Amino acid sequence: MTYPVQLTLGPLVLPVHLLFEVLAYSAGYRFYQTLRARTLDPISDEHRLWIFVGCAAGALLGSRALGLLEHPELLTHPPGGWLYYFTNKTIVGGLLGGLIGVELTKKRLGVTASSGDLMVYPILLGMCLGRLGCHFAGLTDGTFGTATTLPWGIDFGDGIPRHPTNLYEIGWLALLGAGLWLAERRRPLPAGWRFRFFMVGYLLFRLLVEFLKPTPAPSGWGLTAIQWACVAGLGYYGWLWGRTYRLKSAGSTSKSIA
């Protein structure tokens, strides 16, 4: 296989990466619609729409902001001009920014029900398709791994076998989805916990897999911007679980006293 992979239709040359990105959004949304039709959703259609708006706005801003912080040295001299500020993006920033956008929107609407559980499997599907497109894009996508002597290293066109980190991510997402599905077959998870497990699992993976990518940590940072964002996200969910445990313990104590 020659990278980047492109689809030729007569005189047209279509980048497979773009096609998979469009497929990721369309298939993910279609899957979400199917699941929602089969699920008793406590959130109204109107509120769901506004939550989607908040999610999209937060994801757009978060993905762009974190993407730019990956290479802070380029902020004052962007390669390719001002378009650089709008083309850099990262999934971690999109997920965390989308989370913030959703929570702010729900607070504004007064919605207290969990809204993320229904999105987990569609997000997993969309991310797998999107990462497959990143893999086919080869070196042009910038998400490849460092050089390796392992037998499954892939030459993306520069003659250097590299870690196929995109394929690692697809494999991890598939395991994460299967694990959640099997766990819920045994007993239902509390509301909101499917999304929590998904976020923690993905952030932990990205924190570790970034060590296999050639993006250097900015001087004095210790970790890359994406890794620091993962640490912040994991810290938030650690605090959230601790608060849930304390509230549950306080409720149990009140009942025993009563």
Side-chain angles (χ1 to χ4, degrees):
M1 183 181 296
T2 302
Y3 295 88
V5 178
Q6 295 180 328
L7 181 63
T8 303
L9 296 175
L12 297 177
V13 178
L14 302 176
V16 174
H17 187 198
L18 177 61
L19 295 178
F20 270 92
E21 190 170 347
V22 173
L23 179 61
Y25 285 116
S26 57
Y29 182 69
R30 181 60 182 168
F31 190 20
Y32 160 76
Q33 287 183 311
T34 301
L35 291 179
R36 188 164 188 255
R38 299 175 180 175
T39 306
L40 182 61
D41 191 356
I43 301 177
S44 68
D45 290 345
E46 182 182 358
H47 283 174
R48 273 286 178 188
L49 178 59
W50 281 112
I51 288 172
F52 264 119
V53 172
C55 179
L60 179 63
L61 293 174
S63 65
R64 294 304 192 272
L66 189 56
L68 292 173
L69 289 175
E70 271 197 282
H71 301 282
E73 72 280 2
L74 298 178
L75 291 177
T76 54
H77 299 89
W82 61 271
L83 284 176
Y84 173 78
Y85 298 115
F86 300 94
T87 55
N88 261 22
K89 58 184 183 294
T90 172
I91 289 178
V92 172
L95 288 174
L96 294 176
L99 174 65
I100 294 172
V102 166
E103 293 304 319
L104 291 176
T105 303
K106 287 171 62 178
K107 185 175 182 180
R108 175 73 175 177
L109 297 174
V111 175
T112 57
S114 172
S115 59
D117 286 347
L118 198 57
M119 296 296 300
V120 169
Y121 295 119
I123 290 175
L124 285 169
L125 174 62
M127 288 172 65
C128 285
L129 291 171
R131 280 308 187 199
L132 192 56
C134 292
H135 175 76
F136 288 140
L139 297 175
T140 62
D141 185 67
T143 57
F144 50 86
T146 53
T148 181
T149 57
L150 293 172
W152 55 80
I154 294 179
D155 178 4
F156 289 104
D158 61 352
I160 302 174
R162 299 177 180 276
H163 284 285
T165 48
N166 295 312
L167 300 185
Y168 294 169
E169 186 165 329
I170 292 172
W172 175 253
L173 292 172
L175 287 174
L176 186 58
L180 287 171
W181 181 74
L182 290 173
E184 291 186 287
R185 287 198 66 184
R186 297 181 62 183
R187 64 176 181 178
L189 294 172
W193 283 61
R194 182 194 298 170
F195 187 77
R196 292 187 192 183
F197 280 128
F198 158 70
M199 286 292 289
V200 168
Y202 184 70
L203 292 175
L204 182 60
F205 170 81
R206 284 301 299 269
L207 175 63
L208 298 176
V209 81
E210 292 301 309
F211 288 112
L212 296 178
K213 294 184 179 181
T215 304
S219 178
W221 288 31
L223 301 174
T224 66
I226 287 179
Q227 288 176 309
W228 279 119
C230 291
V231 169
L234 291 169
Y236 166 73
Y237 280 105
W239 169 81
L240 197 61
W241 265 315
R243 188 186 69 167
T244 301
Y245 176 78
R246 289 192 298 270
L247 291 174
K248 185 181 294 185
S249 299
S252 301
T253 303
S254 299
K255 288 181 180 179
S256 63
I257 294 175

